[in-house]
Amino acid sequence: MGGLSNFGGMAEFFPKHGYKVVIPELPLYTQNILKTNVKAFSKYVKDFITFKGFEKVILVGNSLGGHVALYHTKMYPEKVMAMILTGSSGLYESAMGDSYPKRGDYEYIKQKTQGVFYNPEIATKEVVDEVFAIVNDRIKVIKTLTIAKSAIRHNMAKDLPKMTTPTCLIWGKNDKVTPPEVAEEFHRLLPNSSLYWIDQCGHAAMMEHPDEFNRIVLEWLQNNQL
């Protein structure tokens, strides 16, 4: 579900306030399986930043993207000015609950996709169709499971207390994938973090409440003179 359009609201809003927004597409399904993991994606982001000629960036990440931002910041702190994380993995994962994605069962996939959001209507037919296509592509399923195992393996709990990068945590109060206690744990472990809540909101705050999400981010950036 990690489409570039998920961050469309940010891409429209922030250039009006003097920020350049760049959305790279991570090679989730196109790289060798040995490079299908959190560490390799973090290196990909670093190479992308270097290629674009950026000196320092503010990383924004949702779910796996947040985990990649965290791991990248751990490895290359000199490249990162700040982080904005929402529904980030890195401490706790419960992406499909206790059941395996059933191939061919459209209603099951629809129900699981809708469960990511507080408002099920955010999971449009287009979004559900995209997830359904991935689940029914054998190679993509193998790579999805490889990524999930990598996320569990790269638990960040021991690293977070050493990471002093300013971090804005924005969490949906109704997130079932990375529940509210995960946000509180991130906030407790990250020494330079601020935590904000959005009510009636699931796992992807920037999709479900784009205006409120942007308002919080802008206020936080201005308060921190970023």
mmCIF file of all heavy atoms in Angstrom, residues 103-142:
data_model
loop_
_atom_site.group_PDB
_atom_site.id
_atom_site.type_symbol
_atom_site.label_atom_id
_atom_site.label_comp_id
_atom_site.label_asym_id
_atom_site.label_seq_id
_atom_site.Cartn_x
_atom_site.Cartn_y
_atom_site.Cartn_z
ATOM 1 N N ARG A 103 -4.525 -15.905 -0.858
ATOM 2 C CA ARG A 103 -4.522 -15.597 -2.287
ATOM 3 C C ARG A 103 -5.912 -15.893 -2.869
ATOM 4 O O ARG A 103 -6.540 -16.872 -2.530
ATOM 5 C CB ARG A 103 -3.472 -16.444 -2.998
ATOM 6 C CG ARG A 103 -2.061 -16.121 -2.543
ATOM 7 C CD ARG A 103 -1.064 -17.090 -3.101
ATOM 8 N NE ARG A 103 -0.882 -16.840 -4.528
ATOM 9 C CZ ARG A 103 -0.078 -17.547 -5.302
ATOM 10 N NH1 ARG A 103 0.595 -18.545 -4.816
ATOM 11 N NH2 ARG A 103 0.045 -17.268 -6.587
ATOM 12 N N GLY A 104 -6.341 -15.004 -3.722
ATOM 13 C CA GLY A 104 -7.588 -15.250 -4.429
ATOM 14 C C GLY A 104 -8.841 -14.852 -3.675
ATOM 15 O O GLY A 104 -9.922 -14.850 -4.240
ATOM 16 N N ASP A 105 -8.727 -14.525 -2.397
ATOM 17 C CA ASP A 105 -9.902 -14.168 -1.601
ATOM 18 C C ASP A 105 -10.017 -12.645 -1.529
ATOM 19 O O ASP A 105 -9.465 -12.000 -0.648
ATOM 20 C CB ASP A 105 -9.776 -14.783 -0.198
ATOM 21 C CG ASP A 105 -11.048 -14.607 0.624
ATOM 22 O OD1 ASP A 105 -11.857 -13.724 0.287
ATOM 23 O OD2 ASP A 105 -11.216 -15.345 1.611
ATOM 24 N N TYR A 106 -10.749 -12.065 -2.478
ATOM 25 C CA TYR A 106 -10.819 -10.606 -2.602
ATOM 26 C C TYR A 106 -11.448 -9.962 -1.381
ATOM 27 O O TYR A 106 -10.966 -8.931 -0.893
ATOM 28 C CB TYR A 106 -11.605 -10.227 -3.865
ATOM 29 C CG TYR A 106 -11.557 -8.741 -4.170
ATOM 30 C CD1 TYR A 106 -10.495 -8.200 -4.899
ATOM 31 C CD2 TYR A 106 -12.557 -7.878 -3.724
ATOM 32 C CE1 TYR A 106 -10.439 -6.833 -5.172
ATOM 33 C CE2 TYR A 106 -12.518 -6.522 -3.994
ATOM 34 C CZ TYR A 106 -11.453 -6.002 -4.708
ATOM 35 O OH TYR A 106 -11.380 -4.653 -4.979
ATOM 36 N N GLU A 107 -12.522 -10.556 -0.863
ATOM 37 C CA GLU A 107 -13.205 -9.965 0.288
ATOM 38 C C GLU A 107 -12.303 -9.914 1.514
ATOM 39 O O GLU A 107 -12.337 -8.961 2.289
ATOM 40 C CB GLU A 107 -14.490 -10.748 0.614
ATOM 41 C CG GLU A 107 -15.681 -10.348 -0.245
ATOM 42 C CD GLU A 107 -15.959 -8.843 -0.224
ATOM 43 O OE1 GLU A 107 -16.085 -8.272 0.876
ATOM 44 O OE2 GLU A 107 -16.032 -8.228 -1.307
ATOM 45 N N TYR A 108 -11.499 -10.959 1.695
ATOM 46 C CA TYR A 108 -10.551 -11.003 2.820
ATOM 47 C C TYR A 108 -9.538 -9.860 2.698
ATOM 48 O O TYR A 108 -9.266 -9.150 3.666
ATOM 49 C CB TYR A 108 -9.833 -12.359 2.837
ATOM 50 C CG TYR A 108 -8.729 -12.463 3.862
ATOM 51 C CD1 TYR A 108 -9.003 -12.833 5.178
ATOM 52 C CD2 TYR A 108 -7.400 -12.196 3.530
ATOM 53 C CE1 TYR A 108 -7.993 -12.929 6.123
ATOM 54 C CE2 TYR A 108 -6.387 -12.279 4.468
ATOM 55 C CZ TYR A 108 -6.691 -12.658 5.760
ATOM 56 O OH TYR A 108 -5.696 -12.745 6.694
ATOM 57 N N ILE A 109 -8.993 -9.692 1.489
ATOM 58 C CA ILE A 109 -7.997 -8.630 1.250
ATOM 59 C C ILE A 109 -8.646 -7.259 1.443
ATOM 60 O O ILE A 109 -8.042 -6.351 2.039
ATOM 61 C CB ILE A 109 -7.400 -8.753 -0.170
ATOM 62 C CG1 ILE A 109 -6.642 -10.089 -0.310
ATOM 63 C CG2 ILE A 109 -6.470 -7.576 -0.479
ATOM 64 C CD1 ILE A 109 -5.525 -10.311 0.688
ATOM 65 N N LYS A 110 -9.881 -7.115 0.981
ATOM 66 C CA LYS A 110 -10.603 -5.847 1.145
ATOM 67 C C LYS A 110 -10.768 -5.523 2.632
ATOM 68 O O LYS A 110 -10.507 -4.395 3.074
ATOM 69 C CB LYS A 110 -11.976 -5.947 0.467
ATOM 70 C CG LYS A 110 -12.798 -4.668 0.538
ATOM 71 C CD LYS A 110 -14.140 -4.862 -0.150
ATOM 72 C CE LYS A 110 -15.001 -3.618 -0.029
ATOM 73 N NZ LYS A 110 -16.335 -3.827 -0.623
ATOM 74 N N GLN A 111 -11.176 -6.525 3.407
ATOM 75 C CA GLN A 111 -11.389 -6.341 4.846
ATOM 76 C C GLN A 111 -10.084 -5.975 5.552
ATOM 77 O O GLN A 111 -10.043 -5.070 6.397
ATOM 78 C CB GLN A 111 -11.955 -7.653 5.410
ATOM 79 C CG GLN A 111 -12.197 -7.649 6.905
ATOM 80 C CD GLN A 111 -12.398 -9.077 7.436
ATOM 81 O OE1 GLN A 111 -12.821 -9.975 6.711
ATOM 82 N NE2 GLN A 111 -12.058 -9.288 8.686
ATOM 83 N N LYS A 112 -8.997 -6.647 5.200
ATOM 84 C CA LYS A 112 -7.692 -6.377 5.814
ATOM 85 C C LYS A 112 -7.182 -4.979 5.448
ATOM 86 O O LYS A 112 -6.613 -4.271 6.280
ATOM 87 C CB LYS A 112 -6.661 -7.432 5.372
ATOM 88 C CG LYS A 112 -6.771 -8.740 6.125
ATOM 89 C CD LYS A 112 -6.352 -8.556 7.571
ATOM 90 C CE LYS A 112 -6.472 -9.812 8.375
ATOM 91 N NZ LYS A 112 -6.206 -9.578 9.805
ATOM 92 N N THR A 113 -7.403 -4.599 4.187
ATOM 93 C CA THR A 113 -6.947 -3.276 3.732
ATOM 94 C C THR A 113 -7.746 -2.179 4.426
ATOM 95 O O THR A 113 -7.190 -1.174 4.882
ATOM 96 C CB THR A 113 -7.079 -3.166 2.196
ATOM 97 O OG1 THR A 113 -6.385 -4.262 1.593
ATOM 98 C CG2 THR A 113 -6.488 -1.870 1.676
ATOM 99 N N GLN A 114 -9.066 -2.373 4.528
ATOM 100 C CA GLN A 114 -9.911 -1.384 5.209
ATOM 101 C C GLN A 114 -9.522 -1.253 6.683
ATOM 102 O O GLN A 114 -9.592 -0.165 7.259
ATOM 103 C CB GLN A 114 -11.380 -1.786 5.093
ATOM 104 C CG GLN A 114 -11.957 -1.601 3.701
ATOM 105 C CD GLN A 114 -13.392 -2.085 3.592
ATOM 106 O OE1 GLN A 114 -13.837 -2.920 4.372
ATOM 107 N NE2 GLN A 114 -14.127 -1.567 2.615
ATOM 108 N N GLY A 115 -9.076 -2.361 7.289
ATOM 109 C CA GLY A 115 -8.717 -2.368 8.707
ATOM 110 C C GLY A 115 -7.512 -1.506 9.046
ATOM 111 O O GLY A 115 -7.275 -1.180 10.215
ATOM 112 N N VAL A 116 -6.769 -1.113 8.023
ATOM 113 C CA VAL A 116 -5.598 -0.251 8.233
ATOM 114 C C VAL A 116 -6.055 1.173 8.592
ATOM 115 O O VAL A 116 -5.332 1.918 9.243
ATOM 116 C CB VAL A 116 -4.708 -0.251 6.960
ATOM 117 C CG1 VAL A 116 -3.619 0.814 7.030
ATOM 118 C CG2 VAL A 116 -4.085 -1.634 6.764
ATOM 119 N N PHE A 117 -7.261 1.520 8.181
ATOM 120 C CA PHE A 117 -7.788 2.876 8.382
ATOM 121 C C PHE A 117 -8.921 2.884 9.405
ATOM 122 O O PHE A 117 -9.616 1.889 9.581
ATOM 123 C CB PHE A 117 -8.315 3.436 7.055
ATOM 124 C CG PHE A 117 -7.303 3.406 5.938
ATOM 125 C CD1 PHE A 117 -7.341 2.407 4.981
ATOM 126 C CD2 PHE A 117 -6.300 4.360 5.867
ATOM 127 C CE1 PHE A 117 -6.413 2.365 3.955
ATOM 128 C CE2 PHE A 117 -5.364 4.338 4.845
ATOM 129 C CZ PHE A 117 -5.418 3.330 3.892
ATOM 130 N N TYR A 118 -9.127 4.021 10.039
ATOM 131 C CA TYR A 118 -10.297 4.201 10.915
ATOM 132 C C TYR A 118 -11.551 4.276 10.047
ATOM 133 O O TYR A 118 -12.562 3.657 10.349
ATOM 134 C CB TYR A 118 -10.135 5.475 11.747
ATOM 135 C CG TYR A 118 -11.342 5.773 12.612
ATOM 136 C CD1 TYR A 118 -11.504 5.125 13.838
ATOM 137 C CD2 TYR A 118 -12.311 6.684 12.198
ATOM 138 C CE1 TYR A 118 -12.624 5.384 14.632
ATOM 139 C CE2 TYR A 118 -13.422 6.948 12.987
ATOM 140 C CZ TYR A 118 -13.573 6.295 14.197
ATOM 141 O OH TYR A 118 -14.673 6.543 14.975
ATOM 142 N N ASN A 119 -11.455 5.055 8.962
ATOM 143 C CA ASN A 119 -12.556 5.188 8.009
ATOM 144 C C ASN A 119 -12.302 4.225 6.841
ATOM 145 O O ASN A 119 -11.415 4.476 6.022
ATOM 146 C CB ASN A 119 -12.627 6.632 7.502
ATOM 147 C CG ASN A 119 -13.680 6.816 6.424
ATOM 148 O OD1 ASN A 119 -14.442 5.896 6.114
ATOM 149 N ND2 ASN A 119 -13.716 7.993 5.820
ATOM 150 N N PRO A 120 -13.064 3.130 6.742
ATOM 151 C CA PRO A 120 -12.793 2.132 5.705
ATOM 152 C C PRO A 120 -12.898 2.665 4.281
ATOM 153 O O PRO A 120 -12.329 2.082 3.346
ATOM 154 C CB PRO A 120 -13.854 1.041 5.968
ATOM 155 C CG PRO A 120 -14.902 1.691 6.796
ATOM 156 C CD PRO A 120 -14.224 2.761 7.582
ATOM 157 N N GLU A 121 -13.584 3.798 4.097
ATOM 158 C CA GLU A 121 -13.744 4.353 2.745
ATOM 159 C C GLU A 121 -12.425 4.860 2.160
ATOM 160 O O GLU A 121 -12.313 5.065 0.949
ATOM 161 C CB GLU A 121 -14.786 5.478 2.762
ATOM 162 C CG GLU A 121 -16.197 4.954 2.967
ATOM 163 C CD GLU A 121 -17.231 6.069 3.058
ATOM 164 O OE1 GLU A 121 -16.921 7.206 2.651
ATOM 165 O OE2 GLU A 121 -18.335 5.797 3.556
ATOM 166 N N ILE A 122 -11.423 5.077 3.025
ATOM 167 C CA ILE A 122 -10.106 5.499 2.527
ATOM 168 C C ILE A 122 -9.505 4.389 1.665
ATOM 169 O O ILE A 122 -8.745 4.646 0.730
ATOM 170 C CB ILE A 122 -9.153 5.842 3.704
ATOM 171 C CG1 ILE A 122 -9.761 6.932 4.583
ATOM 172 C CG2 ILE A 122 -7.768 6.256 3.210
ATOM 173 C CD1 ILE A 122 -9.814 8.316 3.985
ATOM 174 N N ALA A 123 -9.844 3.139 1.990
ATOM 175 C CA ALA A 123 -9.383 1.996 1.187
ATOM 176 C C ALA A 123 -10.271 1.885 -0.051
ATOM 177 O O ALA A 123 -11.198 1.076 -0.122
ATOM 178 C CB ALA A 123 -9.430 0.716 2.007
ATOM 179 N N THR A 124 -9.994 2.713 -1.042
ATOM 180 C CA THR A 124 -10.780 2.726 -2.282
ATOM 181 C C THR A 124 -10.584 1.412 -3.035
ATOM 182 O O THR A 124 -9.676 0.632 -2.738
ATOM 183 C CB THR A 124 -10.323 3.885 -3.185
ATOM 184 O OG1 THR A 124 -8.930 3.683 -3.488
ATOM 185 C CG2 THR A 124 -10.499 5.235 -2.506
ATOM 186 N N LYS A 125 -11.434 1.190 -4.024
ATOM 187 C CA LYS A 125 -11.319 -0.032 -4.837
ATOM 188 C C LYS A 125 -9.927 -0.096 -5.477
ATOM 189 O O LYS A 125 -9.321 -1.175 -5.580
ATOM 190 C CB LYS A 125 -12.405 -0.048 -5.912
ATOM 191 C CG LYS A 125 -12.400 -1.362 -6.714
ATOM 192 C CD LYS A 125 -13.513 -1.423 -7.735
ATOM 193 C CE LYS A 125 -13.527 -2.785 -8.432
ATOM 194 N NZ LYS A 125 -12.258 -3.112 -9.100
ATOM 195 N N GLU A 126 -9.412 1.058 -5.890
ATOM 196 C CA GLU A 126 -8.082 1.116 -6.511
ATOM 197 C C GLU A 126 -7.005 0.605 -5.542
ATOM 198 O O GLU A 126 -6.123 -0.166 -5.920
ATOM 199 C CB GLU A 126 -7.782 2.570 -6.911
ATOM 200 C CG GLU A 126 -6.521 2.735 -7.719
ATOM 201 C CD GLU A 126 -6.245 4.202 -8.050
ATOM 202 O OE1 GLU A 126 -6.761 5.099 -7.350
ATOM 203 O OE2 GLU A 126 -5.490 4.434 -9.000
ATOM 204 N N VAL A 127 -7.089 1.032 -4.276
ATOM 205 C CA VAL A 127 -6.119 0.603 -3.260
ATOM 206 C C VAL A 127 -6.255 -0.896 -3.010
ATOM 207 O O VAL A 127 -5.258 -1.628 -2.983
ATOM 208 C CB VAL A 127 -6.320 1.396 -1.943
ATOM 209 C CG1 VAL A 127 -5.466 0.811 -0.819
ATOM 210 C CG2 VAL A 127 -5.967 2.871 -2.139
ATOM 211 N N VAL A 128 -7.486 -1.368 -2.854
ATOM 212 C CA VAL A 128 -7.713 -2.796 -2.599
ATOM 213 C C VAL A 128 -7.233 -3.632 -3.786
ATOM 214 O O VAL A 128 -6.584 -4.672 -3.607
ATOM 215 C CB VAL A 128 -9.210 -3.079 -2.305
ATOM 216 C CG1 VAL A 128 -9.449 -4.581 -2.122
ATOM 217 C CG2 VAL A 128 -9.663 -2.320 -1.060
ATOM 218 N N ASP A 129 -7.522 -3.179 -4.993
ATOM 219 C CA ASP A 129 -7.085 -3.905 -6.199
ATOM 220 C C ASP A 129 -5.560 -4.034 -6.246
ATOM 221 O O ASP A 129 -5.025 -5.070 -6.640
ATOM 222 C CB ASP A 129 -7.571 -3.181 -7.468
ATOM 223 C CG ASP A 129 -9.068 -3.358 -7.712
ATOM 224 O OD1 ASP A 129 -9.682 -4.170 -6.997
ATOM 225 O OD2 ASP A 129 -9.604 -2.678 -8.608
ATOM 226 N N GLU A 130 -4.890 -2.961 -5.835
ATOM 227 C CA GLU A 130 -3.422 -2.969 -5.845
ATOM 228 C C GLU A 130 -2.880 -4.000 -4.848
ATOM 229 O O GLU A 130 -1.971 -4.773 -5.170
ATOM 230 C CB GLU A 130 -2.918 -1.565 -5.485
ATOM 231 C CG GLU A 130 -1.463 -1.328 -5.833
ATOM 232 C CD GLU A 130 -1.043 0.115 -5.566
ATOM 233 O OE1 GLU A 130 -1.800 1.036 -5.958
ATOM 234 O OE2 GLU A 130 0.006 0.304 -4.947
ATOM 235 N N VAL A 131 -3.447 -4.021 -3.647
ATOM 236 C CA VAL A 131 -3.022 -4.991 -2.627
ATOM 237 C C VAL A 131 -3.348 -6.414 -3.093
ATOM 238 O O VAL A 131 -2.531 -7.329 -2.956
ATOM 239 C CB VAL A 131 -3.706 -4.700 -1.266
ATOM 240 C CG1 VAL A 131 -3.336 -5.764 -0.239
ATOM 241 C CG2 VAL A 131 -3.308 -3.315 -0.756
ATOM 242 N N PHE A 132 -4.532 -6.593 -3.688
ATOM 243 C CA PHE A 132 -4.954 -7.903 -4.180
ATOM 244 C C PHE A 132 -3.984 -8.425 -5.250
ATOM 245 O O PHE A 132 -3.610 -9.606 -5.253
ATOM 246 C CB PHE A 132 -6.364 -7.799 -4.753
ATOM 247 C CG PHE A 132 -6.962 -9.118 -5.171
ATOM 248 C CD1 PHE A 132 -7.337 -10.060 -4.228
ATOM 249 C CD2 PHE A 132 -7.154 -9.409 -6.521
ATOM 250 C CE1 PHE A 132 -7.899 -11.277 -4.608
ATOM 251 C CE2 PHE A 132 -7.707 -10.627 -6.909
ATOM 252 C CZ PHE A 132 -8.077 -11.555 -5.953
ATOM 253 N N ALA A 133 -3.553 -7.526 -6.130
ATOM 254 C CA ALA A 133 -2.610 -7.923 -7.193
ATOM 255 C C ALA A 133 -1.276 -8.366 -6.600
ATOM 256 O O ALA A 133 -0.672 -9.355 -7.060
ATOM 257 C CB ALA A 133 -2.402 -6.749 -8.162
ATOM 258 N N ILE A 134 -0.814 -7.673 -5.557
ATOM 259 C CA ILE A 134 0.460 -8.036 -4.915
ATOM 260 C C ILE A 134 0.357 -9.407 -4.258
ATOM 261 O O ILE A 134 1.231 -10.268 -4.415
ATOM 262 C CB ILE A 134 0.873 -6.958 -3.883
ATOM 263 C CG1 ILE A 134 1.316 -5.680 -4.608
ATOM 264 C CG2 ILE A 134 1.999 -7.460 -2.965
ATOM 265 C CD1 ILE A 134 1.465 -4.469 -3.726
ATOM 266 N N VAL A 135 -0.744 -9.630 -3.531
ATOM 267 C CA VAL A 135 -0.932 -10.891 -2.804
ATOM 268 C C VAL A 135 -1.013 -12.079 -3.769
ATOM 269 O O VAL A 135 -0.674 -13.201 -3.419
ATOM 270 C CB VAL A 135 -2.185 -10.793 -1.907
ATOM 271 C CG1 VAL A 135 -2.594 -12.145 -1.345
ATOM 272 C CG2 VAL A 135 -1.919 -9.832 -0.756
ATOM 273 N N ASN A 136 -1.459 -11.814 -4.998
ATOM 274 C CA ASN A 136 -1.583 -12.891 -5.983
ATOM 275 C C ASN A 136 -0.390 -12.980 -6.930
ATOM 276 O O ASN A 136 -0.437 -13.712 -7.918
ATOM 277 C CB ASN A 136 -2.892 -12.730 -6.760
ATOM 278 C CG ASN A 136 -4.079 -13.188 -5.934
ATOM 279 O OD1 ASN A 136 -4.364 -14.370 -5.845
ATOM 280 N ND2 ASN A 136 -4.747 -12.251 -5.280
ATOM 281 N N ASP A 137 0.656 -12.251 -6.629
ATOM 282 C CA ASP A 137 1.907 -12.340 -7.386
ATOM 283 C C ASP A 137 2.926 -13.064 -6.498
ATOM 284 O O ASP A 137 3.364 -12.538 -5.485
ATOM 285 C CB ASP A 137 2.391 -10.918 -7.722
ATOM 286 C CG ASP A 137 3.672 -10.903 -8.539
ATOM 287 O OD1 ASP A 137 4.590 -11.701 -8.229
ATOM 288 O OD2 ASP A 137 3.778 -10.075 -9.456
ATOM 289 N N ARG A 138 3.281 -14.291 -6.883
ATOM 290 C CA ARG A 138 4.091 -15.144 -6.012
ATOM 291 C C ARG A 138 5.407 -14.478 -5.603
ATOM 292 O O ARG A 138 5.802 -14.514 -4.432
ATOM 293 C CB ARG A 138 4.373 -16.475 -6.726
ATOM 294 C CG ARG A 138 5.101 -17.479 -5.851
ATOM 295 C CD ARG A 138 5.187 -18.841 -6.534
ATOM 296 N NE ARG A 138 6.167 -19.659 -5.839
ATOM 297 C CZ ARG A 138 7.456 -19.645 -6.122
ATOM 298 N NH1 ARG A 138 7.917 -18.858 -7.077
ATOM 299 N NH2 ARG A 138 8.321 -20.404 -5.451
ATOM 300 N N ILE A 139 6.085 -13.871 -6.550
ATOM 301 C CA ILE A 139 7.382 -13.227 -6.258
ATOM 302 C C ILE A 139 7.188 -12.066 -5.280
ATOM 303 O O ILE A 139 7.955 -11.901 -4.332
ATOM 304 C CB ILE A 139 8.052 -12.714 -7.560
ATOM 305 C CG1 ILE A 139 8.329 -13.882 -8.521
ATOM 306 C CG2 ILE A 139 9.349 -11.972 -7.248
ATOM 307 C CD1 ILE A 139 9.269 -14.947 -8.000
ATOM 308 N N LYS A 140 6.129 -11.280 -5.504
ATOM 309 C CA LYS A 140 5.882 -10.133 -4.612
ATOM 310 C C LYS A 140 5.512 -10.593 -3.208
ATOM 311 O O LYS A 140 5.880 -9.955 -2.230
ATOM 312 C CB LYS A 140 4.794 -9.223 -5.204
ATOM 313 C CG LYS A 140 5.312 -8.403 -6.385
ATOM 314 C CD LYS A 140 4.287 -7.409 -6.884
ATOM 315 C CE LYS A 140 4.883 -6.546 -7.995
ATOM 316 N NZ LYS A 140 3.913 -5.589 -8.539
ATOM 317 N N VAL A 141 4.778 -11.707 -3.111
ATOM 318 C CA VAL A 141 4.436 -12.246 -1.787
ATOM 319 C C VAL A 141 5.706 -12.665 -1.050
ATOM 320 O O VAL A 141 5.894 -12.349 0.128
ATOM 321 C CB VAL A 141 3.454 -13.438 -1.901
ATOM 322 C CG1 VAL A 141 3.373 -14.203 -0.587
ATOM 323 C CG2 VAL A 141 2.073 -12.947 -2.279
ATOM 324 N N ILE A 142 6.597 -13.358 -1.746
ATOM 325 C CA ILE A 142 7.862 -13.796 -1.135
ATOM 326 C C ILE A 142 8.654 -12.578 -0.662
ATOM 327 O O ILE A 142 9.186 -12.556 0.450
ATOM 328 C CB ILE A 142 8.695 -14.637 -2.135
ATOM 329 C CG1 ILE A 142 8.010 -15.995 -2.350
ATOM 330 C CG2 ILE A 142 10.130 -14.837 -1.636
ATOM 331 C CD1 ILE A 142 8.560 -16.789 -3.520
#
